[in-house]
């Protein structure tokens, strides 16, 4: 059985300029507020091949979020635990991939993501579609991703 320890990480930054005039918040007036926000995450897991191309990968990780809107700053750190559950098979030299990712963070709020994809080693092309729902800080966000890959 093929098994592996893995680490994955991600970073993101967003700059926003709100063209909405004056905003009154917490006793202060902000004219056309600007903001910066960012996130980072890291996961550590171990992938177990269960049967043929079926696998499970338990994961432990952390998320860091940072927000600054006109000098009002806030940051959060969330620990999370969960796993990836997937199935991969090869037919006619094309690898098909199906995966479900489920997390629960330390505020007992869930996140779930499904992904389907393919990779053709012979042609050096592939891609995937994913859809997820992420719940954090009493807010639920949805994510839809289309990914294309090419090898040169």
């Amino acid at each position: 059985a093929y098994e592996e320890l893995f680490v994955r990480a991600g970073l993101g930054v967003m700059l926003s300029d709100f063209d909405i005039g004056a905003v009154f918040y917490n006793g202060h007036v902000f004219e056309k507020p600007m903001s910066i926000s960012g996130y980072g995450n890291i996961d550590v897991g171990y992938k177990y091949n269960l049967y043929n191309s079926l696998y499970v990968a338990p994961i432990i990780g952390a998320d860091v979020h940072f927000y600054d809107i006109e000098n009002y700053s806030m940051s959060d750190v969330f620990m999370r635990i969960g796993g990836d559950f997937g199935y991969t098979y090869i037919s006619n030299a094309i690898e098909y991939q199906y995966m479900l990712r489920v997390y629960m963070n330390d505020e007992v709020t869930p996140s779930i993501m499904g992904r389907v994809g393919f990779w053709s080693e012979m042609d050096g092309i592939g891609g995937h579609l994913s859809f997820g729902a992420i719940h954090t800080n009493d807010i639920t966000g949805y994510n839809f991703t289309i990914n294309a890959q090419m090898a040169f």
Side-chain angles (χ1 to χ4, degrees):
Y2 180 72
E3 299 174 349
E4 64 183 12
L5 177 67
F6 63 89
V7 176
R8 62 180 172 225
L11 294 171
V13 175
M14 183 173 70
L15 302 172
S16 302
D17 184 8
F18 300 97
D19 191 16
I20 58 174
V23 174
F24 183 73
Y25 179 75
N26 200 22
H28 300 290
V29 176
F30 300 107
E31 295 288 334
K32 296 185 178 181
M34 296 180 65
S35 75
I36 183 170
S37 62
Y39 72 90
N41 58 45
I42 187 166
D43 291 325
V44 177
Y46 197 82
K47 182 178 176 183
Y48 296 95
N49 219 15
L50 299 177
Y51 177 76
N52 288 338
S53 297
L54 186 65
Y55 69 87
V56 62
I59 295 167
I60 187 166
D63 285 323
V64 177
H65 300 254
F66 169 78
Y67 315 92
D68 183 271
I69 301 175
E70 293 296 328
N71 299 319
Y72 174 77
S73 298
M74 184 176 84
S75 60
D76 293 308
V77 177
F78 299 103
M79 298 303 294
R80 63 185 183 184
I81 190 167
D84 291 352
F85 308 89
Y87 180 72
T88 302
Y89 74 93
I90 297 174
S91 176
N92 295 326
I94 298 175
E95 179 181 274
Y96 297 92
Q97 309 148 352
Y98 303 91
M99 192 260 296
L100 177 67
R101 178 172 294 154
V102 180
Y103 285 112
M104 185 76 68
N105 71 18
D106 57 1
E107 289 192 336
V108 194
T109 53
S111 299
I112 189 167
M113 189 264 292
R115 176 174 151 168
V116 295
F118 75 95
W119 177 254
S120 173
E121 186 70 39
M122 195 178 331
D123 300 319
I125 61 168
H128 67 260
L129 301 173
S130 65
F131 180 78
I134 302 166
H135 186 83
T136 186
N137 285 343
D138 297 324
I139 298 170
T140 301
Y142 300 96
N143 179 320
F144 179 71
T145 304
I146 299 173
N147 172 278
Q149 300 167 330
M150 295 177 65
F152 295 98

